[in-house]
């Protein structure tokens, strides 16, 4: 960025209106070269005002200069202010009560966070307080979205701050997300109303959203008093005729413009993706809404039904984040499958978790499209974190001449019917059923192909019979067939003996070690949080004793520590009607445990014989 050349000399501004001037503010330690330039350039220099209050210079073509928002005409060392004197940003008397102390030369963040301690001339004392008291909607979202650094950084930024008047009609507080906030910050450009000077009307200024990959710029009129946001993906530019600057405040890193309309909100999405009043009524069937109204809201039937569920269960704020944010990929069930899934019979907490399991959250507008899934599933499955925060979605490719993609969530498998669908800001895939609503008990779920070996062992010892009991809650750590292949390589003698009839008692004890029986199920997230609370090992009740484990999280995997083993949870949270299954990539097994199983069997049978003798004496 081009800037003025600064030298350690004094430069004086001489106001034409000498009333109530702040003399130190009109003196800066810089030599300002006011030579003619064809470009628009900016700089800031510290004044002699207490605290080193910055003043900003803007030079336009044809030797037109502004200091803050006042036009000047100058020569070496002196410049005449053509209107009033500069107004300092002073502290109120109550600033001494603030903790931590208030910066007399604040950046945008410091000013807006401590607004009650600043005064800005007569205008502030009359009405600007009302504006700041009226900023809570937008400013609350700035804090919620953790955008602090964007208001602290930079030197010549323009910050557009909407008042609550912008939210009275169609816009709501939750419509403001991180992208919207970045769209309201212009980088490397000081934009403020110009008095007595016009600039090019078609001038566009990139916002911080532009730097993040969003084609958004701010377009202003000749006087820079009205603005609009310009989406470069659209062929027609916007017309700056609605957004009016109410007042401007200059801070150390730029200028704050208070406006009555929020820039950067996609009105089509706000109006179009909001479920209609008919959608919000309980028991309203899709067939009761005319086709014309459907198209006006959300054209895609499957997406529209999913949007209705999200809005009703998760609330309008999360609804808008999901449907107006490019950082989500949705897996949307066939709209006809919701009724038969039993979704409406679930508790509200369960409904929320089911819906969040259909939302994959990414970053930087990355979309989990068919190409990404096919590349990720080359040779194995691919798993993606969901909005639920703990369980994941697992994608797989089914072979054959007509290969297709399947997705599994919480143990429920579904085929992907339609890939890569776009509507507005929403990117989604259509799947054949609702995920995460179980229909099988633990015993039935073990019939799936990758549980073959564990199911066979359980049948040999009649262990599986109890898994049909609907009066208990089971948390079953099930080794996959791949886990047994690894175990057979590491402990071949142990795995061989487990399959022998002579070791049925031993097998029963071994399987019980993997099965937690309680009045509730334990998700892997539950076990992780419990481990953190205990600061170490936790004890889970099995049929005869306790299973002592520790759970940690590594990237997107859970690691289960048992004795000397660190076992990866291959697949977590497979829901069943009477429990939950966690798939392990290695059994809860050690060499000393079963490797030389002779001593263990002798001890086991010895205890058994003693018990029988004792019973016989009674």
């Amino acid at each position: 960025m081009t800037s003025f050349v600064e030298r350690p000399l004094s430069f004086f501004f001489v106001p034409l209106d000498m009333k109530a001037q702040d003399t130190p503010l009109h003196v800066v330690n810089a030599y300002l070269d006011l030579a003619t330039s064809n470009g628009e350039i900016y700089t800031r220099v510290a004044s002699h005002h207490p605290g080193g209050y910055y003043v900003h210079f803007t030079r336009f073509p044809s030797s037109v200069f502004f200091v803050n928002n006042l036009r000047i005409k100058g020569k070496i060392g002196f410049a005449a202010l053509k209107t009033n004197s500069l107004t300092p940003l002073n502290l109120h008397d109550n600033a001494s009560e603030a903790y931590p102390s208030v910066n007399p030369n604040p950046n945008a963040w410091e000013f807006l966070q401590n607004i009650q301690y600043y005064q800005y001339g007569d205008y502030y004392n009359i009405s600007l307080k009302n504006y700041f008291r009226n900023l809570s909607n937008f400013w609350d979202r700035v804090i919620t979205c953790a955008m602090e650094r964007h208001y602290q950084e930079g030197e010549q930024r323009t910050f557009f701050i909407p008042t609550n008047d912008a939210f009275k009609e169609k816009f709501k507080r939750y419509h403001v997300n991180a992208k919207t906030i970045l769209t309201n910050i212009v980088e490397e450009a000081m934009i403020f109303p110009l008095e007595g000077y016009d600039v090019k009307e078609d001038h566009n200024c990139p916002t911080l959203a532009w730097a993040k990959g969003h084609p958004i710029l701010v377009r202003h009129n000749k006087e820079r008093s009205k603005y609009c946001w310009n989406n470069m993906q659209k062929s027609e530019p916007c017309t700056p005729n609605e957004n009016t600057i109410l007042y401007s405040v200059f801070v150390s890193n730029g200028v704050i413009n208070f406006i009555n309309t929020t820039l950067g909100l996609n009105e089509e999405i706000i109006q179009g993706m909001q479920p209609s009043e008919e959608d919000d009524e309980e028991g309203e069937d899709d067939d009761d809404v005319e086709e014309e109204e459907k198209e006006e809201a959300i054209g895609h039937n499957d997406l529209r039904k999913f949007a209705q569920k999200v809005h009703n269960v998760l609330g309008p704020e999360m609804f808008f984040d999901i449907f107006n944010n490019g950082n989500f990929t949705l897996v949307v069930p066939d709209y006809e499958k919701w009724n038969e899934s039993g979704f409406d019979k679930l508790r509200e907490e369960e409904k929320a978790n089911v819906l969040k399991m259909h939302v994959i959250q990414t970053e930087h507008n990355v979309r989990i499209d068919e190409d990404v899934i096919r590349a990720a599933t080359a040779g194995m499955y691919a798993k993606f974190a969901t909005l639920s925060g703990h369980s994941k979605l697992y994608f797989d490719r089914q072979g054959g001449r007509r290969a297709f993609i399947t997705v599994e969530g919480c143990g429920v498998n579904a085929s992907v019917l339609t890939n890569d669908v776009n509507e507005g800001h929403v990117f989604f895939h259509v799947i054949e059923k609702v995920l995460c609503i179980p229909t099988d008990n633990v015993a039935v779920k073990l019939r799936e192909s990758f549980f073959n070996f564990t199911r066979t062992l359980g049948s040999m010892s009649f262990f599986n019979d109890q898994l049909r009991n609907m009066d208990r809650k089971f948390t079953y750590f099930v080794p996959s067939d791949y886990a047994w292949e690894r175990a057979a390589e590491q402990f071949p003698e142990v795995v061989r003996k487990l399959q022998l009839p002579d070791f049925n008692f031993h097998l029963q004890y071994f399987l019980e070690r993997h099965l937690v029986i309680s009045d509730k199920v334990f998700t892997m997230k539950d076990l992780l949080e419990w481990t953190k609370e205990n600061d170490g090992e936790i004890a889970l009740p099995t049929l005869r004793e306790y299973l002592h484990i520790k759970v940690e999280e590594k990237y997107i995997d859970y690691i289960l520590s048992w004795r000397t083993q660190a076992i990866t949870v291959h697949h977590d949270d497979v829901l069943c009607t009477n429990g939950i299954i966690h798939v392990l990539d290695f059994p809860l097994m050690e060499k000393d445990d079963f490797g030389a199983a002779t001593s263990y069997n002798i001890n086991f049978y010895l205890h058994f014989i003693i018990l029988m003798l004792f019973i016989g004496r009674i």
Side-chain angles (χ1 to χ4, degrees):
M1 182 195 72
T2 308
S3 179
F4 292 115
V5 177
E6 299 181 19
R7 300 176 186 172
L9 299 173
S10 292
F11 196 98
F12 301 87
F13 300 102
V14 181
L16 297 181
D17 180 4
M18 300 299 291
K19 297 179 181 178
Q21 66 163 305
D22 187 299
T23 301
L25 181 62
H26 292 74
V27 180
V28 297
N29 288 333
Y31 169 81
L32 301 177
D33 184 2
L34 303 184
T36 303
S37 172
N38 293 325
E40 181 177 328
I41 59 176
Y42 314 92
T43 193
R44 67 173 186 174
V45 291
S47 69
H48 283 240
H49 184 76
Y53 179 70
Y54 280 109
V55 291
H56 295 268
F57 291 90
T58 307
R59 180 169 66 183
F60 295 101
S62 304
S63 300
V64 176
F65 304 93
F66 278 78
V67 53
N68 287 2
N69 59 339
L70 301 181
R71 189 171 177 178
I72 62 175
K73 182 179 181 180
K75 57 184 180 179
I76 301 300
F78 292 91
L81 298 176
K82 301 187 71 174
T83 55
N84 297 328
S85 60
L86 294 170
T87 306
L89 188 61
N90 290 318
L91 297 177
H92 271 302
D93 294 337
N94 65 349
S96 59
E97 303 171 2
Y99 182 83
S101 59
V102 180
N103 185 357
N105 184 26
N107 57 37
W109 175 266
E110 293 170 328
F111 177 71
L112 292 169
Q113 279 290 83
N114 299 287
I115 190 62
Q116 67 271 29
Y117 300 116
Y118 292 100
Q119 58 179 342
Y120 198 80
D122 294 337
Y123 188 91
Y124 170 82
N125 293 329
I126 295 173
S127 58
L128 200 54
K129 278 185 179 179
N130 295 329
Y131 280 137
F132 292 130
R133 194 160 44 237
N134 198 24
L135 294 179
S136 59
N137 283 340
F138 184 82
W139 196 243
D140 283 350
R141 292 298 289 166
V142 171
I143 296 172
T144 300
C145 296
M147 306 298 284
E148 174 180 355
R149 68 181 182 87
H150 299 291
Y151 289 83
Q152 294 175 328
E153 298 172 346
E155 292 185 3
Q156 286 90 32
R157 288 186 173 179
T158 301
F159 306 92
F160 291 98
I161 305 294
T163 69
N164 285 351
D165 293 337
F167 301 90
K168 286 185 176 179
E169 297 180 0
K170 55 195 170 187
F171 298 128
K172 304 297 182 184
R173 183 179 66 87
Y174 52 78
H175 288 153
V176 177
N177 55 20
K179 175 185 172 183
T180 305
I181 294 168
L182 293 178
T183 306
N184 282 269
I185 303 176
V186 176
E187 179 68 286
E188 302 295 345
M190 297 285 288
I191 303 175
F192 48 86
L194 304 175
E195 186 174 338
Y197 182 69
D198 295 341
V199 294
K200 291 183 180 180
E201 187 173 8
D202 60 352
H203 185 64
N204 289 310
C205 301
T207 68
L208 289 186
W210 175 279
K212 299 292 183 181
H214 304 294
I216 303 295
L217 303 100
V218 170
R219 188 167 184 260
H220 52 72
N221 64 352
K222 292 180 180 181
E223 300 82 16
R224 290 191 169 180
S225 59
K226 297 181 182 295
Y227 305 86
C228 65
W229 60 277
N230 202 11
N231 190 338
M232 299 301 289
Q233 290 179 337
K234 296 185 176 181
S235 57
E236 294 295 327
C238 65
T239 302
N241 57 6
E242 293 184 357
N243 303 312
T244 303
I245 289 182
L246 304 174
Y247 196 68
S248 298
V249 176
F250 288 84
V251 290
S252 66
N253 60 340
V255 59
I256 298 173
N257 292 323
F258 300 100
I259 58 177
N260 59 3
T261 304
T262 303
L263 302 180
L265 284 178
N266 189 330
E267 296 185 28
E268 296 174 0
I269 296 298
I270 294 171
Q271 294 172 343
M273 288 301 186
Q274 190 74 18
S276 62
E277 293 180 2
E278 288 86 351
D279 290 336
D280 291 334
E281 295 178 6
E282 284 295 328
E284 186 72 26
D285 194 16
D286 289 339
D287 296 334
D288 296 334
V289 184
E290 295 182 1
E291 186 67 27
E292 184 176 342
E293 292 182 354
K294 285 185 180 181
E295 292 297 323
E296 183 179 352
I298 298 177
H300 197 287
N301 285 335
D302 301 321
L303 182 62
R304 180 174 179 273
K305 188 69 172 180
F306 183 72
Q308 173 192 341
K309 300 293 184 183
V310 171
H311 186 269
N312 291 344
V313 176
L314 301 182
E317 184 167 339
M318 186 167 289
F319 169 88
F320 184 79
D321 283 344
I322 293 173
F323 283 81
N324 195 45
N325 189 327
N327 290 328
F328 295 104
T329 295
L330 313 182
V331 286
V332 178
D334 183 331
Y335 77 99
E336 295 180 342
K337 301 299 183 181
W338 286 100
N339 289 338
E340 66 184 57
S341 70
F343 177 83
D344 293 333
K345 298 178 182 179
L346 300 176
R347 292 181 290 107
E348 288 302 307
E349 182 181 353
E350 294 172 331
K351 289 181 181 179
N353 187 63
V354 168
L355 292 173
K356 290 178 182 179
M357 281 297 299
H358 290 76
V359 182
I360 303 172
Q361 187 165 12
T362 61
E363 294 180 350
H364 309 300
N365 287 326
V366 173
R367 292 177 168 182
I368 309 300
D369 58 18
E370 181 181 4
D371 291 338
V372 171
I373 294 171
R374 290 191 180 278
T377 54
M380 61 178 296
Y381 67 90
K383 59 183 175 181
F384 298 95
T386 66
L387 200 61
S388 70
H390 52 93
S391 297
K392 306 169 187 67
L393 290 182
Y394 296 80
F395 288 86
D396 200 359
R397 282 192 298 172
Q398 303 301 318
R401 187 172 58 181
R402 296 183 178 180
F404 61 95
I405 297 173
T406 62
V407 60
E408 185 263 305
C410 309
V412 178
N413 290 279
S415 298
V416 176
L417 302 177
T418 309
N419 298 309
D420 301 352
V421 187
N422 285 279
E423 181 157 337
H425 282 276
V426 184
F427 180 80
F428 62 100
H429 309 284
V430 180
I431 59 176
E432 65 174 337
K433 66 175 73 169
V434 181
L435 303 176
C436 293
I437 301 180
T439 57
D440 300 328
N441 59 42
V442 175
V444 174
K445 182 60 69 175
L446 286 180
R447 295 175 186 172
E448 296 190 3
S449 58
F450 44 88
F451 297 140
N452 282 336
F453 196 84
T454 301
R455 184 183 68 253
T456 301
L457 292 179
S459 299
M460 291 169 53
S461 61
F462 303 101
F463 180 82
N464 292 346
D465 292 348
Q466 64 181 314
L467 303 179
R468 296 183 176 86
N469 190 337
M470 300 301 296
D471 296 326
R472 289 183 170 182
K473 295 296 181 182
F474 302 104
T475 301
Y476 198 3
F477 296 96
V478 180
S480 65
D481 287 350
Y482 168 72
W484 285 111
E485 291 176 7
R486 294 184 60 208
E489 293 177 359
Q490 189 168 346
F491 307 131
E493 186 64 17
V494 179
V495 177
R496 185 186 70 83
K497 289 181 178 180
L498 282 175
Q499 303 173 69
L500 299 177
D502 293 343
F503 286 81
N504 270 351
F505 284 111
H506 187 91
L507 174 60
Q508 180 83 12
Y509 182 84
F510 169 78
L511 292 175
E512 287 176 0
R513 173 186 296 165
H514 293 74
L515 183 66
V516 175
I517 303 175
S518 181
D519 57 352
K520 60 171 289 187
V521 300
F522 297 97
T523 66
M524 289 307 301
K525 186 176 182 181
D526 292 336
L527 299 177
L528 176 66
E529 293 176 350
W530 191 3
T531 299
K532 291 179 179 178
E533 291 174 4
N534 278 21
D535 196 23
E537 197 174 77
I538 58 177
L540 301 173
T542 65
L543 184 62
R544 302 175 192 269
E545 52 187 32
Y546 285 89
L547 173 65
H548 297 271
I549 62 172
K550 182 172 67 174
V551 175
E552 298 173 303
E553 193 172 21
K554 186 176 182 181
Y555 303 113
I556 61 172
D557 290 322
Y558 291 106
I559 307 298
L560 186 151
S561 297
W562 172 79
R563 296 185 182 175
T564 61
Q565 300 276 16
I567 300 171
T568 300
V569 179
H570 172 79
H571 193 146
D572 59 278
D573 298 353
V574 177
L575 296 181
C576 306
T577 53
N578 62 342
I580 192 169
I581 292 175
H582 305 301
V583 186
L584 307 182
D585 73 351
F586 200 85
L588 301 178
M589 174 189 295
E590 288 184 318
K591 181 178 180 180
D592 294 340
D593 207 5
F594 301 139
T598 307
S599 61
Y600 177 89
N601 284 321
I602 291 175
N603 289 331
F604 182 87
Y605 285 114
L606 180 60
H607 283 89
F608 181 76
I609 292 170
I610 293 173
L611 178 61
M612 292 299 102
L613 291 174
F614 178 76
I615 293 175
R617 289 180 179 179
I618 298 176

